Amino acid sequence: MFVLGLQGSPRKKGNTNYLLVSFLDEIKQKGAETQIIHVTDKQINPCIGCGNCERKGVCSIKDDDMTKEIYALLRRADVVVAATPIYFYNATAQLKILIDRTQTLWSRKYKLGLTDPGRPDRKGILLSVGATKGKNLFEGMILTAKYFFDAIGADFHSQLTYARIENFGDMERHETVNADIKKEVNRLAPLLTRKKILFACRENAGRSQMASAFAQYLAGGEIDALSAGSTPAASINPLMEEAMRESGIDVGFRVPRSIDAVIAETRPDLIITMGCGEECPFIPGVQYENWDLPDPAGKPIEFMRNVRDEIEKRVKHLIAKL
């Protein structure tokens, strides 16, 4: 399970950061892979309202960290944890810019009718602190978080909010924070106990990406579907993305990963190979299965469709066996 933390505070060692790091440390101890994005360190340009995402499903801003990195991480994440102090009853400006740019992901679902295969089981969690004690302190942020999580394809799972947090160290000294975090992490236990299946091919640009997407989509969140390649390509095969789009499944923003990088963070229960052969590492105690599938790299779209359909059949059979 991959948990992505969005740290929206400009104070890198403040109360918000303490809360987020404590949450991620707790879930990492349970076996999750975690990553923090310090939003203030990233170049994220504000939405310009051009409508390109609603017409084409991609943002017209190409040269910032949102397009280069963050869209892909949001799509890969099983859990997204948004952490922010309250500024005028909402998120910091830096985090709000990121939230606005997720209109691209919203558009792919609600304007173009594409289904993100990770959507049924992705969770969103809000962590927030505020200096005052007003009863409406977090209402604006909670409403924003609900729409943000919907845009990125996540269920608003829970929130931890703390009022009267103003001075450095207040969050660390809070009486219930550690117990609160443990309780919320325990609620995510079903995601941590799913069967982990790694689909591996040569470039992680076609076959293994399709297999992991179908496994996510068809298994109803019961499989932690991973994919990787022995020699990963720079980007996914655009014909693979087109073929999956024809099936209504959105694999946009996926990035090829190496097998070594994946198994360094996660121990799979099952590795299904698709042509990388002896280049796939042997892990003692892990079950292996080989699917003899032709490599569609460099082949026409018709070839890709045939491979897609065969992969879908095999994934359905795999789910039935499990």
Side-chain angles (χ1 to χ4, degrees), residues 165-182:
I165 303 296
E166 186 169 10
N167 300 309
F168 281 107
D170 280 354
M171 200 69 256
E172 188 173 357
R173 292 187 291 269
H174 195 279
E175 293 181 355
T176 68
V177 63
N178 291 328
D180 295 342
I181 288 172
K182 288 181 183 294

Side-chain angles (χ1 to χ4, degrees), residues 8 36 41 55 88 105 108 110 157 191 208 222 232-233 258 271 284 301 319:
I36 292 180
D41 287 345
R55 295 189 301 270
F88 285 86
L105 302 181
R108 294 175 76 90
Y110 291 106
H157 187 66
L191 292 179
S208 55
E222 296 299 319
S258 73
I271 296 178
I301 185 66
I319 293 170

Side-chain angles (χ1 to χ4, degrees), residues 103-167:
Q103 178 74 7
T104 294
L105 302 181
W106 181 92
S107 296
R108 294 175 76 90
K109 168 65 176 178
Y110 291 106
K111 290 292 185 179
L112 302 181
L114 297 172
T115 299
D116 168 16
R119 189 180 189 92
D121 213 44
R122 187 177 295 120
K123 307 298 182 186
I125 296 173
L126 171 65
L127 307 179
S128 189
V129 301
T132 66
K133 59 180 181 180
K135 66 177 182 179
N136 300 323
L137 178 59
F138 297 104
E139 285 189 1
M141 186 62 242
I142 290 171
L143 184 61
T144 297
K146 287 179 179 178
Y147 284 102
F148 166 56
F149 290 136
D150 180 64
I152 65 172
D155 171 57
F156 191 175
H157 187 66
S158 60
Q159 65 200 46
L160 292 178
T161 57
Y162 299 90
R164 305 182 75 172
I165 303 296
E166 186 169 10
N167 300 309

